[in-house]
Amino acid sequence: METFKQYFYEKNPSQGEGITFIDVDETLFHTKAHVKVMKGESVLKKLNNQEFNTYVLEPGERFDFSEFKNAEFFRKTSIPIEPVLKRVNRILNNIERGGRKSKVVILTARSKFDDMQEFKQTFRDYGVRIDDIQIITVGDLPGQAAEKKKEVVLNYLSNHPYKRARMFDDSLANLKAFLSLRKQFPNTTFFAIHVNNKGQVYQLP
């Protein structure tokens, strides 16, 4: 079986096409936004990114994503996780050099931002070629983040025979849901890369 190092940077054209899914919060940037849990007009609690990934609404509760949709707040307060941003650019550069149709997708549990150009400018500020990356937000869809992200990955892999699929995420639940697709796609090699709270990355077995 191919190793993580062999496939990480898309260096060898003979490897075929691959797809890489990358989370935003606590994966590419340390972020400050919270999701409010509301009941009527009352704020019951505020959830950070990791808490939101697993929170299940009780009857009568709803989410308020106003902070998570605020692109200006995102740009002003986000702190880059530079090792991961640099790896994203390396992957993009090597895809371009190899002349293949490999793809990089930002896959976030956030809702769509109120100003997508402002959101993208945050990446440009740190030298990331965001216009070469597709952005998918699943926050407005029902269900838990892990299952929603899994559904997106499933759709991509069902419509294109990628040889490799990778996911960078700080959530172990999201990564495990991603890896659960292995049996459905035996001809695709899966790499689940966890980004810890220090910005360090390691591959799940």
Side-chain angles (χ1 to χ4, degrees):
M1 180 177 176
E2 299 86 357
T3 66
F4 178 55
K5 287 183 179 179
Q6 279 178 287
Y7 279 140
F8 199 89
Y9 295 127
E10 297 272 358
K11 286 183 177 177
N12 185 349
S14 67
Q15 293 170 0
E17 296 173 9
I19 187 165
T20 302
F21 300 94
I22 308 171
D23 182 40
V24 174
D25 297 274
E26 306 309 314
T27 300
L28 289 171
F29 294 91
H30 295 300
T31 55
K32 306 295 184 181
H34 289 81
V35 176
K36 298 174 186 177
V37 179
M38 308 291 293
K39 192 164 187 177
E41 298 304 312
S42 300
V43 179
L44 299 183
K45 59 188 71 177
K46 292 185 176 182
L47 308 175
N48 62 27
N49 168 65
Q50 292 180 331
E51 292 168 335
F52 170 68
N53 279 334
T54 56
Y55 189 84
V56 178
L57 289 171
E58 299 290 338
E61 294 181 352
R62 61 182 174 84
F63 289 130
D64 178 337
F65 293 104
S66 55
E67 280 191 15
F68 263 75
K69 292 181 178 181
N70 189 323
E72 182 180 9
F73 182 83
F74 176 83
R75 188 178 176 194
K76 285 182 176 179
T77 62
S78 294
I79 300 170
I81 301 177
E82 293 186 4
V84 183
L85 290 176
K86 287 179 180 177
R87 292 182 189 210
V88 172
N89 269 343
R90 287 181 197 170
I91 292 172
L92 289 171
N93 289 340
N94 285 306
I95 289 173
E96 184 177 22
R97 279 197 293 269
R100 297 194 308 283
K101 294 182 180 179
S102 295
K103 186 180 289 290
V104 177
V105 179
I106 284 180
L107 179 56
T108 173
R110 286 184 183 243
S111 299
K112 188 176 181 179
F113 282 88
D114 56 4
D115 186 339
M116 289 302 293
Q117 286 306 312
E118 181 77 2
F119 169 68
K120 290 180 180 181
Q121 189 59 44
T122 311
F123 290 81
R124 298 186 188 109
D125 291 343
Y126 296 104
V128 177
R129 290 160 41 203
I130 189 64
D131 297 302
D132 294 334
I133 300 174
Q134 185 171 3
I135 300 169
I136 296 181
T137 58
V138 298
D140 292 317
L141 301 174
Q144 289 194 319
E147 289 304 311
K148 291 187 287 187
K149 288 190 174 188
K150 176 182 174 181
E151 192 66 26
V152 171
V153 176
L154 175 63
N155 184 62
Y156 272 101
L157 297 183
S158 297
N159 286 285
H160 192 91
Y162 289 106
K163 188 173 181 182
R164 292 168 318 289
R166 287 173 291 213
M167 178 179 278
F168 289 77
D169 209 302
D170 67 302
S171 167
L172 291 173
N174 293 346
L175 293 170
K176 288 176 181 177
F178 168 75
L179 289 176
S180 72
L181 292 169
R182 279 171 164 165
K183 290 184 179 179
Q184 286 179 250
F185 299 95
N187 296 320
T188 301
T189 303
F190 284 73
F191 297 98
I193 301 107
H194 184 240
V195 182
N196 67 19
N197 57 12
K198 295 181 180 179
Q200 300 166 327
V201 300
Y202 66 92
Q203 183 189 353
L204 298 187

